[in-house]
Amino acid sequence: MYDIVSMGEILMDMTPVQGREGFLYEPNPGGAPANVAVACARLEVRSAFIGTVGQDFFGDLLIHTLEANTVDSSCIYRTSQAPTTLAFVHLDKKGERSFSFYRKPGADLFLPWGRKEKQTIENTRIFHFGSLSLTNQPARTVTKKALRYAKKKKKLISFDPNLRPSLWKDLKEAKRQIFSCLKWVDILKLSEEELLFLSAKETFEEALAWAKSLVRPIVLITRGENGVICLFQETIISTGSYHVEVVDTTGAGDAFVGGLLSQLSQEERPFHISRERLLQILKWASAVAAITVSRRGAIPALPSKEEVEKFLARYQEHMPS
Ligand code: ATP
């Protein structure tokens, strides 16, 4: 039995070495759904990943990384059709990042779908996915099959689009594909930019009103250092972020999702918890994300459960409001 099964891209983030930006890069295991799988495992919930790497050294390293973090890797495949996907990360002076993908195609697009994957989904409480597996075939069809299957088996479905405009030929198509999945989704996590893009509204307030009209059990809008807003049971719950020294924001959203799902998966009726409990969970997830942005890389930066507990104890008097 798993608490969380995450499906989608697993890839190598090529992170610039400080002081040698543009000339020297270090490979860091990443890919948003893979980050979420590891975040959950580090937080001591049972986690499995469904995805594909190439038959190359980076593929070996990625599988090893997930296994070393106790993520079940029995649904990670190795394709000979493409090399392991690479994403070169560019960091600006504030630690904010953008990506250049080497994926024409990359192995992550060759998602597996068979008896083993169905069994894995059957054996979980939460199924999580993103939008990189919706950009191209064959991943798009497989993702939708998995979604339909997860819904049929009454799993909680979590979606973090993690929109990467450069990977779409056409942003109208991106919107169409993301919208086509929303009807299946119970937990939707959007960044502020994604909310504005999907809603096509001018202001954040208008976009928030649009988000309410989606009528999903939980909608989260993360706002970087400004914290998170959550739509739940027809009300809004929000919390600020923890003040930390930012080193690299790669994976902040994935760390947040990992923190959130790892806690929700332990609730018997996650959509019927009290507002107070949800606020506590949002603060826990924000702490997971804050620790992650204070370190370099995505997966290497994700904290253990013990680290989060120590962090929260230390920040007790400085809780964000
Ligand atoms: P990414 O695409 O990098 O994974 P995202 O855009 O999905 O990130 P953000 O809104 O940037 O997600 O961040 C998610 C959460 O991480 C925030 O709600 C906050 O709790 C935490 N966080 C992000 N940036 C900071 C920061 N500078 N300081 C403290 N916490 C932060």
Side-chain angles (χ1 to χ4, degrees):
M1 192 67 194
Y2 307 109
D3 297 295
I4 285 122
V5 170
S6 185
M7 180 188 232
E9 73 279 10
I10 178 165
L11 46 78
M12 240 356 140
D13 280 328
M14 304 299 287
T15 315
V17 172
Q18 223 167 3
R20 302 292 309 276
E21 286 86 355
F23 295 99
L24 207 55
Y25 290 86
E26 69 179 18
N28 275 309
N35 294 344
V36 170
V38 175
C40 289
R42 291 234 178 118
L43 298 169
E44 297 178 20
V45 297
R46 294 158 298 182
S47 166
F49 181 72
I50 303 175
T52 304
V53 296
Q55 293 178 355
D56 46 34
F57 170 68
F58 282 153
D60 294 344
L61 217 57
L62 288 169
I63 293 179
H64 171 77
T65 304
L66 263 62
E67 286 174 349
N69 282 287
T70 70
V71 175
D72 185 307
S73 66
S74 54
C75 291
I76 304 183
Y77 282 74
R78 296 166 153 281
T79 184
S80 58
Q81 289 175 275
T84 298
T85 306
L86 305 181
F88 282 79
V89 182
H90 309 285
L91 297 176
D92 70 15
K93 289 197 177 92
K94 287 170 75 188
E96 295 295 335
R97 85 276 163 277
S98 58
F99 296 96
S100 300
F101 286 90
Y102 286 71
R103 190 200 198 211
K104 285 188 183 297
D108 73 292
L109 286 170
F110 296 90
L111 282 180
W113 185 244
R115 201 161 52 88
K116 209 193 284 177
E117 289 68 42
K118 285 184 182 173
Q119 252 168 20
T120 301
I121 291 175
E122 260 172 63
N123 284 333
T124 187
R125 287 205 71 203
I126 300 180
F127 175 75
H128 175 77
F129 75 109
S131 76
L132 261 71
S133 60
L134 297 171
T135 61
N136 298 80
Q137 296 292 15
R140 182 184 292 171
T141 300
V142 173
T143 303
K144 292 191 177 177
K145 280 184 184 167
L147 264 176
R148 274 193 213 100
Y149 194 75
K151 200 75 208 170
K152 188 170 132 198
K153 295 292 170 186
K154 299 188 166 46
K155 305 301 168 186
L156 303 187
I157 299 183
S158 157
F159 182 33
D160 177 358
N162 256 304
L163 181 72
R164 300 286 178 255
S166 67
L167 288 178
W168 294 87
K169 275 196 213 109
D170 172 0
L171 279 180
K172 275 191 195 147
E173 179 63 9
K175 211 179 252 192
R176 206 164 29 241
Q177 289 302 327
I178 291 172
F179 275 109
S180 75
C181 294
L182 286 186
K183 58 179 176 288
W184 288 305
V185 172
D186 301 300
I187 303 163
L188 173 65
K189 185 293 203 186
L190 301 173
S191 66
E192 201 170 338
E193 301 80 50
E194 287 163 345
L195 174 69
L196 289 168
F197 167 70
L198 291 176
S199 66
K201 302 291 182 198
E202 293 283 314
T203 66
F204 184 71
E205 285 66 33
E206 287 171 336
L208 201 58
W210 170 87
K212 282 183 200 160
S213 73
L214 293 174
V215 212
R216 301 290 86 200
I218 298 183
V219 179
L220 301 130
I221 295 121
T222 58
R223 312 182 77 187
E225 63 186 344
N226 296 318
V228 58
I229 290 181
C230 177
L231 307 178
F232 177 66
Q233 295 172 347
E234 294 178 16
T235 57
I236 292 181
I237 305 173
S238 63
T239 182
S241 69
Y242 293 92
H243 185 72
V244 289
E245 204 164 306
V246 177
V247 173
D248 178 1
T249 60
T250 312
D254 308 328
F256 180 88
V257 171
L260 176 90
L261 298 184
S262 64
Q263 291 281 305
L264 283 178
S265 68
Q266 305 309 300
E267 296 290 335
E268 208 170 313
R269 299 175 73 212
F271 304 141
H272 294 87
I273 56 176
S274 66
R275 285 171 48 83
E276 292 68 33
R277 173 66 185 131
L278 186 59
L279 181 61
Q280 197 183 27
I281 291 177
L282 295 178
K283 290 189 175 187
W284 168 274
S286 304
V288 177
I291 298 172
T292 303
V293 302
S294 70
R295 303 169 176 172
R296 184 163 285 274
I299 285 180
L302 294 166
S304 66
K305 188 176 176 189
E306 197 186 333
E307 283 177 305
V308 181
E309 280 162 359
K310 279 193 184 148
F311 177 94
L312 284 170
R314 201 154 18 96
Y315 272 77
Q316 205 59 261
E317 314 91 76
H318 312 286
M319 280 296 219
S321 54

